[in-house]
Amino acid sequence: MPGLRSSIPDFQLANPIYIGATATFFEVDINGIKTATLATLYAGPTGSTTARNPQTLDGDGKFEAPVYIADAVIAEISGASVASHDTGVIQVRGTYKGNYLAGTIYSSSDLVRDSLTGDVYVVTNDYLAVSLAADITAENLIIMVEISPISAVATAAAAAAAASAAAAAASASSASNAEMPTVPAVHNYVRRNAGNTQYENRTPLQMNDDAAVVAANISSAQATDLTAMTGRTGNLTGGATITSFVTGAAGVERELTLTGAPTFTHHATDLILPGGVNIVGGAGDIIRLRSLGANKVICTHYLRANGGLTFNTVTQPTLVLKQSAAPAPTVEGDAQWDTDDNALAIGDGAATKIIPTLPASVVAGDLFYATSDRVLARIPKGAAGQRLRMNPGATAPEWGGGIGAVAAATSGVAIDFTSIPDGTRRITVSWADLSTSGTSTPIIQIGDSGGIEATGYLGTAGHITGSDTTNTAANTTGFRLAGSSHAAANVLHGSMVLTLIDPATFTWVASMQGSRSDTTIVTFGAGSKSLSAALDRVRLTTLGGTDTFDAGKVNILYE
């Protein structure tokens, strides 16, 4: 006949402090003291299949599947998030269903009573009741407390002493309005009934229910007294900061419903809270505490009234990396901070990878270049038309070039383009529909910070007519846009490219080509000019410097 088993209620609900913890179950002796013998755990309420001992609690801090016991045990708990401790004695228990009734669905470990004999049976399986006799034969019921033999003895004794006992009983009844019950079953106990009119027998399950009565309120305090509770559950009033509890024996559990907002302060041994953090309570929250003895408790369960998280806030730890002047980690994932260059060095398993930080004052459009293997420098965004190039010292990139504003050549004796940046290597001067008021040939002059230079120009310019007639003239005061002859009616188109050939002597070479739209003439020319400093300006004027421009437009492109 199978023995009585029940599931272990502990560790059936999720509890974050028990995540990954180990629960080892030991047999207890007749005095309820833990022995060194591992208890036998079962995978079901019946059958011979055993469960592993110890048990490793899952990622929610609970059993992966129900675990059953046939005898009382004590669990020894250890884990990374909870101090090692023992539970109280875990007994084999079931749910009392009252008198047996055919057609009722019973669950494993339930207790039922034979209304005729008073015998108490334990249910071994989940099943639908047929009849008491049939269920006993099928071993769905096994007797737990046998009352009938005791009742028979008690009945015979009562009949033999009926005459003398009747008078005494009547007298006692009238005096105290109470009557002692028949001999109680093994493990039962006797108490006065709720109306205080007589004594009554109580089963172990009823004893458990009696202890579960709701206690009177207790007040929150720095050291809240749980021993003042008259039942297992009750209300906790007030909003004090609680740092410890006054408790009873180890294993005793109490469940409190909060009516205020006390603060529970975590302590590694005195008040162990989930996650090792304080809990700010709220009205309606429920906390379950288990005594570890010596006024030390562990919170085994905390339920928010609003269903929210147990913890009010999640405090993120501060990350501080290892630091040195020139770290060079190579271990995979090893991250260190370079205090000299303010860079992050990370090992990749073989070498060091560097993640430099951005320079100050970064804005949209900026570019960056490395000044070393760990430092970035900022290049502010350039102007429209500029190009990125290497600086004259070949040490860093820089912006160069640009395009000037189109100038209308409709008045004045000269058109100047200034503020050409240092480092410019090539300038293209372009003109269209250009004409003047007289016969002085248009020229291009260049200059530096000292001004436009009007001497030292070398080379020649000229033109070819449709009849192959040529006309040439030497450059002297500037680079010519045409040959030796010019007229107010001439309309010029073309461009001149100025190229820096020798930065040391600031020598520029000019190359010009163009044409006239008032006739079929092609213009051309070339020359050179050395300045006294870096070029920073270009001028369009005429050879004599007195004729004015009366039509056309001109612009430059520098790079």
Side-chain angles (χ1 to χ4, degrees):
M1 181 177 293
L4 171 65
R5 295 182 196 167
S6 65
S7 63
I8 298 176
D10 303 60
F11 318 113
Q12 290 189 4
L13 298 177
N15 192 331
I17 67 171
Y18 287 143
I19 292 175
T22 299
T24 307
F25 295 85
F26 295 90
E27 294 181 359
V28 298
D29 62 19
I30 192 170
N31 297 313
I33 304 300
K34 183 179 75 173
T35 70
T37 304
L38 288 177
T40 300
L41 306 182
Y42 295 91
T46 60
S48 59
T49 302
T50 59
R52 64 180 181 275
N53 187 11
Q55 288 276 320
T56 299
L57 304 185
D58 64 14
D60 292 323
K62 60 181 179 60
F63 285 142
E64 294 179 352
V67 177
Y68 296 82
I69 55 174
D71 297 289
V73 298
I74 288 178
E76 181 182 283
I77 310 301
S78 62
S81 299
V82 63
S84 297
H85 65 276
D86 289 351
T87 66
V89 177
I90 302 173
Q91 298 283 1
V92 178
R93 50 190 171 183
T95 302
Y96 182 63
K97 297 295 186 179
N99 291 340
Y100 174 88
L101 183 63
T104 301
I105 296 176
Y106 291 118
S107 300
S108 175
S109 298
D110 286 348
L111 301 176
V112 296
R113 177 178 177 272
D114 183 347
S115 60
L116 296 178
T117 64
D119 293 344
V120 178
Y121 294 84
V122 65
V123 179
T124 62
N125 298 289
D126 297 339
Y127 83 107
L128 178 65
V130 178
S131 69
L132 185 63
D135 291 347
I136 293 173
T137 301
E139 296 188 344
N140 289 325
L141 297 175
I142 60 173
I143 194 162
M144 177 181 181
V145 180
E146 193 170 7
I147 301 295
S148 50
I150 301 175
S151 298
V153 172
T155 300
S164 59
S171 175
S173 177
S174 61
S176 64
N177 195 27
E179 180 179 351
M180 288 297 293
T182 58
V183 178
V186 177
H187 300 307
N188 281 17
Y189 82 112
V190 177
R191 74 165 193 179
R192 298 286 290 176
N193 66 7
N196 196 26
T197 59
Q198 65 181 36
Y199 290 97
E200 62 182 0
N201 276 316
R202 305 293 285 173
T203 66
L205 184 60
Q206 291 171 322
M207 292 169 60
N208 184 68
D209 292 340
D210 294 342
V213 65
V214 176
N217 293 351
I218 63 170
S219 299
S220 59
Q222 183 175 357
T224 301
D225 189 358
L226 294 180
T227 64
M229 295 180 65
T230 57
R232 289 184 179 173
T233 63
N235 293 330
L236 178 65
T237 64
T241 297
I242 301 172
T243 59
S244 64
F245 286 89
V246 178
T247 67
V252 173
E253 290 192 350
R254 294 290 182 264
E255 184 173 278
L256 300 169
T257 300
L258 279 54
T259 63
T263 296
F264 301 92
T265 304
H266 171 76
H267 188 274
T269 58
D270 294 349
L271 179 49
I272 304 172
L273 297 176
V277 298
N278 299 346
I279 298 175
V280 178
D285 292 358
I286 297 174
I287 184 171
R288 186 179 303 156
L289 302 167
R290 177 181 296 157
S291 171
L292 303 177
N295 295 333
K296 303 180 187 302
V297 297
I298 183 171
C299 172
T300 61
H301 182 68
Y302 195 96
L303 177 65
R304 290 282 184 194
N306 61 7
L309 295 174
T310 298
F311 310 133
N312 298 77
T313 59
V314 178
T315 302
Q316 296 294 338
T318 300
L319 175 63
V320 178
L321 297 177
K322 291 182 285 186
Q323 303 179 22
S324 62
T330 58
V331 176
E332 184 81 27
D334 183 7
Q336 300 185 31
W337 184 252
D338 186 329
T339 55
D340 276 359
D341 297 321
N342 291 328
L344 184 63
I346 303 177
D348 67 359
T352 303
K353 301 298 184 183
I354 302 299
I355 302 177
T357 55
L358 294 179
S361 306
V362 174
V363 298
D366 287 353
L367 297 179
F368 308 99
Y369 67 93
T371 60
S372 72
D373 64 337
R374 300 184 180 217
V375 179
L376 293 179
R378 166 179 170 261
I379 303 177
K381 63 180 181 180
Q386 286 188 309
R387 295 173 174 82
L388 197 63
R389 66 188 183 189
M390 189 59 66
N391 66 11
T395 58
E398 65 177 9
W399 290 111
I403 186 169
V406 177
T410 56
S411 64
V413 298
I415 300 173
D416 287 347
F417 295 92
T418 60
S419 300
I420 298 173
D422 184 21
T424 298
R425 298 292 186 270
R426 183 167 59 182
I427 302 171
T428 302
V429 184
S430 302
W431 55 90
D433 300 315
L434 185 68
S435 69
T436 66
S437 61
T439 60
S440 185
T441 303
I443 60 173
I444 297 291
Q445 294 177 321
I446 60 177
D448 50 35
S449 58
I452 292 292
E453 296 190 9
T455 60
Y457 292 87
L458 305 177
T460 303
H463 63 255
I464 301 176
T465 66
S467 58
D468 294 334
T469 301
T470 61
N471 181 289
T472 62
N475 297 323
T476 55
T477 59
F479 298 121
R480 289 173 172 268
L481 272 58
S484 60
S485 62
H486 180 71
N490 294 358
V491 180
L492 305 178
H493 308 265
S495 63
M496 179 180 294
V497 177
L498 302 169
T499 305
L500 180 63
I501 187 174
D502 187 356
T505 59
F506 311 107
T507 301
W508 291 80
V509 171
S511 175
M512 184 274 293
Q513 59 182 5
S515 66
R516 285 170 47 189
S517 59
D518 61 288
T519 186
T520 56
I521 289 179
V522 175
T523 58
F524 52 87
S528 67
K529 163 66 177 162
S530 296
L531 296 173
S532 55
L535 181 148
D536 67 354
R537 64 197 69 195
V538 172
R539 171 178 290 174
L540 172 65
T541 185
T542 60
L543 193 62
T546 57
D547 290 352
T548 60
F549 293 99
D550 57 16
K553 52 191 172 183
V554 62
N555 203 352
I556 68 169
L557 174 69
Y558 53 89
E559 52 191 315

